[in-house]
Amino acid sequence: MLSVFERISSNKAKVGGALIVLGISGGLGHDAAAGLVIDGEVVACAEEERFVRRKHAYGLTPANAAMYCLDYAGITMADIDCLAVSWDPRHRHPDWPTTLHERLLGHPFFAGSPRPAVQVVGHARAHAAAAFSCSGFTDAAVLTVDGQGDAVSTTLGRGSGTELTADASFGIRDSLGFFYLALTNYLGFELGEEGKVMGLASYTTPTSTPNPFELTGDGYRSPLDVAAADSDHDTYRAVVGGWKQWFTDRFGPPAIPTYRVDPIRGRARVDLTLAPHHYEAAAAGQAELERVLLHLVELAVAGTGVRDLVIGGGVGLNCTANGVVERSGLVDRLYVFPASGDAGTGLGAALAVAAENGERPKAAIETAAFGPEFADADIAALLHELDLPSCEATDVAADTAALLDRGMVVGWVQGRMEIGPRALGNRSILALPRERRVHTAVNNIKGREQWRPLAPSILAADADRYVTAAGRAPFMLTACQVTDRAREEVPAVVHVDGSCRPQLVREETNACYAGLLDAVTAATGTPVVLNTSFNQAGEPLVCGPHDAIRSFFASGLDALVMGNSIVTKRPT
């Protein structure tokens, strides 16, 4: 029987030497996604939630995402050399194979297609490969910090060329991701809502509560006494439960959400009241996460002798902690993969297989736009079919800037959809942040809590006027302090602690969005817009025109700009 790599080599000879790898995630039951890599380059990537309209796509295989990737490249499953799976269950289930790739290949979309070779990539390695391969660094310290995957929560290692090594790893009991999830649950929020804790933590100063984790010369240790469990899931439940009790013992009773039926939507919604001690717990938990991360960064840099760092894993979405690392003086350059959560591991698995074959992206990836895009003519035809009032822009950037200057809040759909949780100017809700009330208005439109911050997109050339020590910041994943000018000119994107998580926009990575900011500058004198993801609370980012139209008419948005078409609810 041929090995995986012998089969890949055989297939490459048939198709002119192009290695084609499809990576998939979702093996842990959430964040199903697919990513396609050809000759080491990222071609397409998308999350299943965007197609099925179920956030995190719990329990689903990434059939629609995989179908999109293949269609974008003009190939079929028969052309795939290797199907890379981003988790390895063999430490618990020696009778592998898993059901993930079997479910995908058995789906009606792909049933009957020749089966590609299948390669399992460890979960942490997939996170590491996504971050390092896309960083553009030829040599870097690598840190992955997650809840867990394959019983691993944290790794320290190095990337060099196409090689990845893991020098240290930490298990579920020491999971920083589960520490933060326990804090999230303690505050009344759910899995996937850790970003709310990050925003809440800025409202007070951390107390003098003793730091729970022990920092050691080779890493760190959790103080929890967790009994041995029969499964990773049982261990996870015990760790999260133990940390939730820790917060309760030190800060007071947890926040208890209550539920009622929304009379307009006809669905249950949550009501949550937070007490002062909940704010204190959020601040303390965030500070502890940052303390341990800084220690791990110091160890990673010292152990590798390299001051360029990449971060992968779900904790990499903590913008505040990333900003602390970037300004720590411990690293020269920091790269955080935009889809650092588990949805990025499908692409990471594909990149890991490509790297094992000596291939990786030729340049740093500073765009997250690898999803579907839609032609102007198709958008216009759909609007005509639905008999919606619309017009074609003479200059979409200038016309949109004029709408924003009139105080409108605009849904903006341009180019390829982003991967990861941040809208980066392709599937965005936009407004001018020159008055604080805009922050309130946009949070109301999205159904978000008013204490949550909203972020700015800024032309990179003008960044120093509004933010300090922001780095390159292409993905809205590092928080930093704002300048006095920002407080005065763009108060709607300044958080309570004087911080923001900026996206610095460059023409070479998003010409359309940079053109809009140029037009906003010409109209207002300020090269900044408020940018938040185009979705309603509890829903995924919009994918295509149908999703955008539904969200537009079901919300308080004033205008919708898709390609060259502009839709409004009332005469403009």
Side-chain angles (χ1 to χ4, degrees), residues 1 26 34 160 165 178 189 195 268 285 302 339 344 354 362 419 476 527 536 556:
M1 179 181 293
S160 183
T165 57
F178 289 158
F189 307 128
K362 294 180 178 62
I419 57 170
M476 207 180 281
Q536 294 290 291

Side-chain angles (χ1 to χ4, degrees), residues 67 69 92 142-143 182 184 205 307 367 406 409 565:
M67 189 69 174
C69 289
R92 290 286 190 183
V142 179
L143 174 63
T184 302
T205 302
R307 288 177 56 86
T367 177
R406 291 168 54 185
V409 182
S565 296

Side-chain angles (χ1 to χ4, degrees), residues 209-224:
T209 300
N211 298 313
F213 285 99
E214 177 190 357
L215 305 185
T216 67
D218 58 358
Y220 68 104
R221 294 191 185 90
S222 163
L224 295 183

Side-chain angles (χ1 to χ4, degrees), residues 231-486:
S231 71
D232 293 347
H233 183 72
D234 289 341
T235 305
Y236 143 73
R237 289 173 61 89
V239 169
V240 172
W243 279 121
K244 187 174 180 181
Q245 187 61 51
W246 185 90
F247 282 107
T248 300
D249 292 342
R250 281 153 184 80
F251 294 95
I256 306 297
T258 58
Y259 299 90
R260 61 185 175 86
V261 174
D262 186 315
I264 297 298
R265 294 177 178 267
R267 300 174 184 172
R269 61 170 292 175
V270 63
D271 289 324
L272 186 64
T273 300
L274 297 172
H277 71 272
H278 295 130
Y279 291 81
E280 294 170 4
Q286 177 69 32
E288 178 65 355
L289 177 70
E290 293 167 10
R291 185 181 76 95
V292 180
L293 283 178
L294 283 174
H295 177 66
L296 293 175
V297 169
E298 188 171 12
L299 291 179
V301 170
T304 60
V306 182
R307 288 177 56 86
D308 287 338
L309 173 74
V310 302
I311 296 178
V315 176
L317 297 174
N318 193 299
C319 308
T320 305
N322 291 339
V324 169
V325 169
E326 189 160 53
R327 294 186 299 276
S328 67
L330 296 172
V331 301
D332 293 334
R333 294 184 294 175
L334 172 67
Y335 182 90
V336 183
F337 184 61
S340 281
D342 282 358
T345 59
L347 180 60
L351 288 164
V353 170
E356 289 174 18
N357 282 266
E359 300 174 349
R360 62 173 289 181
K362 294 180 178 62
I365 290 176
E366 292 198 338
T367 177
F370 293 107
E373 60 184 330
F374 303 90
D376 288 342
D378 291 337
I379 292 170
L382 174 64
L383 294 173
H384 177 75
E385 177 188 339
L386 298 177
D387 195 24
L388 297 177
S390 64
C391 64
E392 184 175 347
T394 55
D395 180 330
V396 70
D399 291 350
T400 304
L403 296 175
L404 293 169
D405 194 29
R406 291 168 54 185
M408 289 189 174
V409 182
V410 177
W412 172 261
V413 176
Q414 303 289 336
R416 299 181 71 180
M417 179 183 66
E418 302 94 334
I419 57 170
R422 307 283 186 253
L424 300 168
N426 292 34
R427 301 292 185 275
S428 294
I429 289 174
L430 306 176
L432 293 188
R434 56 195 175 192
E435 298 178 67
R436 184 62 188 175
R437 65 176 180 81
V438 173
H439 173 275
T440 302
V442 174
N443 269 339
N444 280 338
I445 286 171
K446 293 195 62 176
R448 287 164 41 113
E449 299 87 348
Q450 285 299 336
W451 44 263
R452 294 176 65 184
L454 292 165
S457 294
I458 310 170
L459 283 172
D462 298 302
D464 289 346
R465 295 158 55 187
Y466 298 96
V467 292
T468 62
R472 287 194 62 80
F475 301 127
M476 207 180 281
L477 281 176
T478 51
C480 62
Q481 289 293 300
V482 303
T483 63
D484 290 340
R485 181 172 186 164

Side-chain angles (χ1 to χ4, degrees), residues 163-243:
E163 298 293 323
L164 272 175
T165 57
D167 300 320
S169 65
F170 303 84
I172 299 174
R173 289 174 176 79
D174 295 316
S175 173
L176 292 170
F178 289 158
F179 166 76
Y180 209 83
L181 174 59
L183 173 58
T184 302
N185 292 164
Y186 169 80
L187 295 171
F189 307 128
E190 299 178 355
L191 175 69
E193 295 184 319
E194 289 85 350
K196 295 184 178 183
V197 181
M198 184 177 63
L200 196 67
S202 299
Y203 280 82
T204 190
T205 302
T207 65
S208 58
T209 300
N211 298 313
F213 285 99
E214 177 190 357
L215 305 185
T216 67
D218 58 358
Y220 68 104
R221 294 191 185 90
S222 163
L224 295 183
D225 183 13
V226 177
D230 292 333
S231 71
D232 293 347
H233 183 72
D234 289 341
T235 305
Y236 143 73
R237 289 173 61 89
V239 169
V240 172
W243 279 121

